[in-house]
């Protein structure tokens, strides 16, 4: 595996490659990330991964400097997966001058749910993803469904800018007890780790009620939030939304059987976990 930090060297290395499959990450890799590499290999060749902790998507109250960086362990894992190139730029490589041009998602998608609780987050994400796509020029790129809103925003960005990159959605990789794998799980204490799967359990419970015909969305959301709060969580949101645009479903949408997803974000102790479940 070649490890490259320079954009110019990366472009030289990939020149002439027409089927590149790309997986962007911020490092601290776990089995969920590695499953994305395997899916990428099914859709293209060579497989390129990136590790870059993107300052633009960290809010003023989010500690960029404390984000876990495990570069050598990440390299070892990617080599075992047969990744061809690891693009690992420094901040100076990615942002040799202040990144004053930004890509801002539309407010009705970028400022709801995660965007409401993390202002500016998705502008940071879309800006760095567009720049990474410019560097790698992939035919396909793989993003996990765990970050459901991010996946939708990146996919819509590619469509509106007519980018020649197909976005492949990877199913959420879960531990045996149902907890979605996340770098943030490492912050959980032993007791919190034992409690954490209840987020997924509550999502399943909510989805089951919708499937059973209980369509009072507000009541189902309130019930789910209340149950988590009683268990010591601090939920930001548990929300039933339409899959196609993440807007709340109308009575007509529900009557017509619109495809839905229940999305959630909640703090357990000091750790904020997100998850979702398609209904």
């Amino acid at each position: 595996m070649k490890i490259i930090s320079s954009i110019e060297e990366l472009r030289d290395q990939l020149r002439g490659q027409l089927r590149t499959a790309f997986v962007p990450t911020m490092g601290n890799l776990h089995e969920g990330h590695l499953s994305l590499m395997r899916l990428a290999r099914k859709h293209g060749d060579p497989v390129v991964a990136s590790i870059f902790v993107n300052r633009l998507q960290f809010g003023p109250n989010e500690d960029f400097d404390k984000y876990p960086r495990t570069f050598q362990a990440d390299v070892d894992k990617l080599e075992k997966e047969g990744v061809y190139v690891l693009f690992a730029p420094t901040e100076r490589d990615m942002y040799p001058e202040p990144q004053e041009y930004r890509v801002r998602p539309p407010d009705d998608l970028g400022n709801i749910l995660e965007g409401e609780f993390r202002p500016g987050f998705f502008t940071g994400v879309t800006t760095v993803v567009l720049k990474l796509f410019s560097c790698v020029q992939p035919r396909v790129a793989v993003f996990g469904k765990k970050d459901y809103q991010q996946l939708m925003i990146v996919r819509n960005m590619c469509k509106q800018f007519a980018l020649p990159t197909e976005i492949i959605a990877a199913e959420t990789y879960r531990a045996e007890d149902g907890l979605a794998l996340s770098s943030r799980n490492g912050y959980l204490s032993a007791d919190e780790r034992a409690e954490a799967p209840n987020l997924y359990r509550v999502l399943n419970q909510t989805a089951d009620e919708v499937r059973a015909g209980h369509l009072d969305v507000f009541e189902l959301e309130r019930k789910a939030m209340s149950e988590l709060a009683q268990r010591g969580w601090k939920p930001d949101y548990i929300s039933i939304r339409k899959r196609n645009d993440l807007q709340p479903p109308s009575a007509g949408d529900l009557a017509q059987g619109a495809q839905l997803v229940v999305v959630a974000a909640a703090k357990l102790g000091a750790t904020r976990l997100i998850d979702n479940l398609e209904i």
Side-chain angles (χ1 to χ4, degrees):
M1 181 175 75
K2 295 178 171 62
I3 301 174
I4 295 173
S5 62
S6 154
I7 294 173
E8 292 74 18
E9 186 182 346
L10 178 73
R11 286 177 172 159
D12 285 344
Q13 184 66 44
L14 296 177
R15 186 164 287 117
Q17 298 285 1
L18 301 178
R19 298 185 62 248
T20 300
F22 179 45
V23 185
T25 83
M26 292 209 300
N28 195 26
L29 303 183
H30 51 65
E31 191 61 29
H33 293 111
L34 303 183
S35 71
L36 304 184
M37 309 297 164
R38 295 168 201 142
L39 182 59
R41 192 178 302 110
K42 293 179 180 179
H43 289 274
D45 181 58
V47 175
V48 176
S50 68
I51 293 177
F52 180 65
V53 183
N54 176 39
R55 188 185 295 272
L56 297 187
Q57 68 196 66
F58 284 77
N61 300 318
E62 300 173 338
D63 199 335
F64 168 82
D65 293 318
K66 285 188 177 178
Y67 190 86
R69 292 162 171 84
T70 54
F71 187 74
Q72 191 52 55
D74 294 345
V75 167
D76 294 343
K77 290 172 183 174
L78 293 175
E79 285 186 326
K80 288 178 183 174
E81 293 298 330
V83 170
Y84 175 61
V85 169
L86 169 59
F87 181 44
T90 65
E91 281 199 276
R92 187 180 293 271
D93 290 314
M94 278 298 283
Y95 304 127
E97 57 187 67
Q99 187 68 35
E100 294 168 340
Y101 287 82
R102 306 284 178 101
V103 180
R104 197 182 96 182
D107 290 346
D108 62 355
L109 185 56
N111 289 349
I112 62 172
L113 302 170
E114 283 298 282
E116 178 182 348
F117 288 91
R118 303 180 69 187
F121 170 70
F122 287 119
T123 294
V125 169
T126 48
T127 299
V128 77
V129 168
L130 183 62
K131 194 158 189 176
L132 286 167
F133 283 2
S134 174
C135 297
V136 177
Q137 300 184 19
R139 191 186 70 82
V140 301
V142 180
F143 288 78
K145 281 189 180 181
K146 184 178 80 71
D147 298 285
Y148 204 89
Q149 189 175 4
Q150 172 179 279
L151 168 66
M152 177 173 288
I153 285 173
V154 169
R155 183 171 270 160
N156 288 356
M157 178 185 74
C158 288
K159 179 181 176 184
Q160 290 205 3
F161 280 112
L163 301 181
T165 301
E166 178 187 357
I167 303 301
I168 306 293
E171 296 298 328
T172 301
Y173 198 97
R174 299 184 182 277
E176 288 186 7
D177 58 10
L179 178 63
L181 292 201
S182 168
S183 299
R184 293 179 180 179
N185 295 352
Y187 297 134
L188 298 170
S189 69
D191 287 345
E192 289 167 348
R193 176 61 186 83
E195 169 62 27
N198 280 298
L199 178 60
Y200 186 51
R201 181 184 61 77
V202 167
L203 290 181
N204 273 285
Q205 198 171 281
T206 303
D208 286 345
E209 295 218 42
V210 173
R211 295 186 189 108
H214 301 160
L215 299 180
D216 186 338
V217 167
F218 180 78
E219 174 59 21
L220 291 177
E221 292 172 347
R222 186 203 61 76
K223 180 179 173 183
M225 296 263 285
S226 176
E227 179 168 346
L228 278 186
Q230 288 171 15
R231 301 188 66 92
W233 295 67
K234 294 178 182 176
D236 284 342
Y237 59 83
I238 297 179
S239 192
I240 297 165
R241 299 294 175 112
K242 294 184 293 181
R243 286 191 215 173
N244 67 334
D245 60 6
L246 289 185
Q247 297 303 306
S250 66
D253 293 326
L254 296 171
Q256 292 168 20
Q259 289 189 313
L260 304 174
V261 59
V262 54
V263 291
K267 275 189 175 179
L268 184 56
T271 306
R272 187 173 184 273
L273 302 178
I274 66 170
D275 204 348
N276 66 79
L277 185 63
E278 292 179 330
I279 303 174

